[in-house]
PDB file of all heavy atoms in Angstrom:
ATOM      1  N   LYS A  98      89.519  -2.662  39.254  1.00  0.00           N
ATOM      2  CA  LYS A  98      90.367  -2.020  38.249  1.00  0.00           C
ATOM      3  C   LYS A  98      91.645  -1.441  38.855  1.00  0.00           C
ATOM      4  O   LYS A  98      92.690  -1.427  38.196  1.00  0.00           O
ATOM      5  CB  LYS A  98      89.583  -0.919  37.535  1.00  0.00           C
ATOM      6  CG  LYS A  98      88.440  -1.439  36.677  1.00  0.00           C
ATOM      7  CD  LYS A  98      87.690  -0.302  36.011  1.00  0.00           C
ATOM      8  CE  LYS A  98      86.530  -0.818  35.172  1.00  0.00           C
ATOM      9  NZ  LYS A  98      85.762   0.292  34.561  1.00  0.00           N
ATOM     10  N   SER A  99      91.559  -0.959  40.064  1.00  0.00           N
ATOM     11  CA  SER A  99      92.732  -0.343  40.704  1.00  0.00           C
ATOM     12  C   SER A  99      93.605  -1.371  41.418  1.00  0.00           C
ATOM     13  O   SER A  99      94.629  -0.996  42.009  1.00  0.00           O
ATOM     14  CB  SER A  99      92.280   0.718  41.705  1.00  0.00           C
ATOM     15  OG  SER A  99      91.520   0.129  42.749  1.00  0.00           O
ATOM     16  N   LEU A 100      93.228  -2.630  41.370  1.00  0.00           N
ATOM     17  CA  LEU A 100      93.934  -3.652  42.131  1.00  0.00           C
ATOM     18  C   LEU A 100      94.918  -4.451  41.286  1.00  0.00           C
ATOM     19  O   LEU A 100      95.524  -5.396  41.768  1.00  0.00           O
ATOM     20  CB  LEU A 100      92.923  -4.604  42.781  1.00  0.00           C
ATOM     21  CG  LEU A 100      91.923  -3.930  43.720  1.00  0.00           C
ATOM     22  CD1 LEU A 100      90.931  -4.959  44.262  1.00  0.00           C
ATOM     23  CD2 LEU A 100      92.641  -3.230  44.867  1.00  0.00           C
ATOM     24  N   LYS A 101      95.074  -4.060  40.019  1.00  0.00           N
ATOM     25  CA  LYS A 101      96.010  -4.736  39.136  1.00  0.00           C
ATOM     26  C   LYS A 101      97.086  -3.771  38.652  1.00  0.00           C
ATOM     27  O   LYS A 101      96.898  -2.556  38.643  1.00  0.00           O
ATOM     28  CB  LYS A 101      95.272  -5.347  37.940  1.00  0.00           C
ATOM     29  CG  LYS A 101      94.530  -6.630  38.265  1.00  0.00           C
ATOM     30  CD  LYS A 101      94.113  -7.366  37.001  1.00  0.00           C
ATOM     31  CE  LYS A 101      93.749  -8.800  37.279  1.00  0.00           C
ATOM     32  NZ  LYS A 101      93.519  -9.575  36.042  1.00  0.00           N
ATOM     33  N   GLU A 102      98.208  -4.332  38.230  1.00  0.00           N
ATOM     34  CA  GLU A 102      99.303  -3.538  37.687  1.00  0.00           C
ATOM     35  C   GLU A 102     100.077  -4.378  36.676  1.00  0.00           C
ATOM     36  O   GLU A 102      99.945  -5.608  36.632  1.00  0.00           O
ATOM     37  CB  GLU A 102     100.241  -3.084  38.803  1.00  0.00           C
ATOM     38  CG  GLU A 102     100.892  -4.223  39.566  1.00  0.00           C
ATOM     39  CD  GLU A 102     101.684  -3.758  40.767  1.00  0.00           C
ATOM     40  OE1 GLU A 102     101.735  -2.530  40.993  1.00  0.00           O
ATOM     41  OE2 GLU A 102     102.244  -4.609  41.484  1.00  0.00           O
ATOM     42  N   TYR A 103     100.875  -3.690  35.852  1.00  0.00           N
ATOM     43  CA  TYR A 103     101.680  -4.395  34.852  1.00  0.00           C
ATOM     44  C   TYR A 103     102.601  -5.405  35.519  1.00  0.00           C
ATOM     45  O   TYR A 103     103.210  -5.143  36.560  1.00  0.00           O
ATOM     46  CB  TYR A 103     102.509  -3.407  34.043  1.00  0.00           C
ATOM     47  CG  TYR A 103     103.623  -4.076  33.254  1.00  0.00           C
ATOM     48  CD1 TYR A 103     103.326  -4.898  32.171  1.00  0.00           C
ATOM     49  CD2 TYR A 103     104.963  -3.904  33.611  1.00  0.00           C
ATOM     50  CE1 TYR A 103     104.334  -5.538  31.465  1.00  0.00           C
ATOM     51  CE2 TYR A 103     105.978  -4.530  32.904  1.00  0.00           C
ATOM     52  CZ  TYR A 103     105.659  -5.344  31.839  1.00  0.00           C
ATOM     53  OH  TYR A 103     106.659  -5.973  31.138  1.00  0.00           O
ATOM     54  N   SER A 104     102.711  -6.575  34.890  1.00  0.00           N
ATOM     55  CA  SER A 104     103.570  -7.638  35.414  1.00  0.00           C
ATOM     56  C   SER A 104     104.491  -8.145  34.316  1.00  0.00           C
ATOM     57  O   SER A 104     104.036  -8.645  33.286  1.00  0.00           O
ATOM     58  CB  SER A 104     102.728  -8.796  35.949  1.00  0.00           C
ATOM     59  OG  SER A 104     103.529  -9.935  36.208  1.00  0.00           O
ATOM     60  N   GLU A 105     105.770  -8.021  34.542  1.00  0.00           N
ATOM     61  CA  GLU A 105     106.765  -8.538  33.603  1.00  0.00           C
ATOM     62  C   GLU A 105     106.631 -10.051  33.466  1.00  0.00           C
ATOM     63  O   GLU A 105     106.811 -10.612  32.378  1.00  0.00           O
ATOM     64  CB  GLU A 105     108.154  -8.161  34.100  1.00  0.00           C
ATOM     65  CG  GLU A 105     109.260  -8.354  33.106  1.00  0.00           C
ATOM     66  CD  GLU A 105     110.583  -7.847  33.643  1.00  0.00           C
ATOM     67  OE1 GLU A 105     111.254  -8.615  34.372  1.00  0.00           O
ATOM     68  OE2 GLU A 105     110.943  -6.685  33.351  1.00  0.00           O
ATOM     69  N   ALA A 106     106.289 -10.708  34.581  1.00  0.00           N
ATOM     70  CA  ALA A 106     106.126 -12.168  34.557  1.00  0.00           C
ATOM     71  C   ALA A 106     104.960 -12.571  33.665  1.00  0.00           C
ATOM     72  O   ALA A 106     105.038 -13.566  32.938  1.00  0.00           O
ATOM     73  CB  ALA A 106     105.918 -12.688  35.975  1.00  0.00           C
ATOM     74  N   VAL A 107     103.881 -11.807  33.708  1.00  0.00           N
ATOM     75  CA  VAL A 107     102.728 -12.105  32.855  1.00  0.00           C
ATOM     76  C   VAL A 107     103.106 -11.907  31.387  1.00  0.00           C
ATOM     77  O   VAL A 107     102.709 -12.695  30.515  1.00  0.00           O
ATOM     78  CB  VAL A 107     101.528 -11.222  33.242  1.00  0.00           C
ATOM     79  CG1 VAL A 107     100.409 -11.333  32.200  1.00  0.00           C
ATOM     80  CG2 VAL A 107     100.996 -11.624  34.610  1.00  0.00           C
ATOM     81  N   PHE A 108     103.866 -10.855  31.101  1.00  0.00           N
ATOM     82  CA  PHE A 108     104.322 -10.615  29.732  1.00  0.00           C
ATOM     83  C   PHE A 108     105.125 -11.807  29.219  1.00  0.00           C
ATOM     84  O   PHE A 108     104.889 -12.314  28.113  1.00  0.00           O
ATOM     85  CB  PHE A 108     105.166  -9.347  29.682  1.00  0.00           C
ATOM     86  CG  PHE A 108     105.916  -9.161  28.387  1.00  0.00           C
ATOM     87  CD1 PHE A 108     105.231  -8.983  27.191  1.00  0.00           C
ATOM     88  CD2 PHE A 108     107.305  -9.166  28.366  1.00  0.00           C
ATOM     89  CE1 PHE A 108     105.917  -8.811  25.990  1.00  0.00           C
ATOM     90  CE2 PHE A 108     107.997  -9.001  27.182  1.00  0.00           C
ATOM     91  CZ  PHE A 108     107.300  -8.821  25.983  1.00  0.00           C
ATOM     92  N   LEU A 109     106.072 -12.283  30.018  1.00  0.00           N
ATOM     93  CA  LEU A 109     106.890 -13.418  29.613  1.00  0.00           C
ATOM     94  C   LEU A 109     106.047 -14.676  29.428  1.00  0.00           C
ATOM     95  O   LEU A 109     106.319 -15.480  28.530  1.00  0.00           O
ATOM     96  CB  LEU A 109     107.985 -13.675  30.641  1.00  0.00           C
ATOM     97  CG  LEU A 109     109.224 -12.772  30.558  1.00  0.00           C
ATOM     98  CD1 LEU A 109     110.148 -13.042  31.733  1.00  0.00           C
ATOM     99  CD2 LEU A 109     109.949 -12.975  29.237  1.00  0.00           C
ATOM    100  N   GLN A 110     105.030 -14.849  30.258  1.00  0.00           N
ATOM    101  CA  GLN A 110     104.175 -16.009  30.126  1.00  0.00           C
ATOM    102  C   GLN A 110     103.381 -15.958  28.822  1.00  0.00           C
ATOM    103  O   GLN A 110     103.218 -16.972  28.142  1.00  0.00           O
ATOM    104  CB  GLN A 110     103.217 -16.098  31.318  1.00  0.00           C
ATOM    105  CG  GLN A 110     102.467 -17.424  31.406  1.00  0.00           C
ATOM    106  CD  GLN A 110     103.408 -18.602  31.612  1.00  0.00           C
ATOM    107  OE1 GLN A 110     104.249 -18.587  32.499  1.00  0.00           O
ATOM    108  NE2 GLN A 110     103.274 -19.620  30.772  1.00  0.00           N
ATOM    109  N   HIS A 111     102.905 -14.753  28.466  1.00  0.00           N
ATOM    110  CA  HIS A 111     102.227 -14.588  27.184  1.00  0.00           C
ATOM    111  C   HIS A 111     103.150 -14.995  26.041  1.00  0.00           C
ATOM    112  O   HIS A 111     102.760 -15.740  25.126  1.00  0.00           O
ATOM    113  CB  HIS A 111     101.820 -13.121  26.997  1.00  0.00           C
ATOM    114  CG  HIS A 111     100.426 -12.813  27.430  1.00  0.00           C
ATOM    115  ND1 HIS A 111      99.310 -13.260  26.771  1.00  0.00           N
ATOM    116  CD2 HIS A 111      99.979 -12.078  28.470  1.00  0.00           C
ATOM    117  CE1 HIS A 111      98.232 -12.816  27.378  1.00  0.00           C
ATOM    118  NE2 HIS A 111      98.607 -12.097  28.422  1.00  0.00           N
ATOM    119  N   VAL A 112     104.365 -14.473  26.065  1.00  0.00           N
ATOM    120  CA  VAL A 112     105.336 -14.761  25.012  1.00  0.00           C
ATOM    121  C   VAL A 112     105.608 -16.262  24.923  1.00  0.00           C
ATOM    122  O   VAL A 112     105.604 -16.849  23.834  1.00  0.00           O
ATOM    123  CB  VAL A 112     106.646 -13.992  25.278  1.00  0.00           C
ATOM    124  CG1 VAL A 112     107.763 -14.495  24.361  1.00  0.00           C
ATOM    125  CG2 VAL A 112     106.425 -12.485  25.085  1.00  0.00           C
TER     126      VAL A 112
END
Side-chain angles (χ1 to χ4, degrees):
K98 293 179 181 178
S99 63
L100 302 178
K101 283 194 163 188
E102 61 187 359
Y103 165 69
S104 168
E105 193 175 84
V107 169
F108 168 64
L109 280 174
Q110 191 63 51
H111 266 290
V112 168

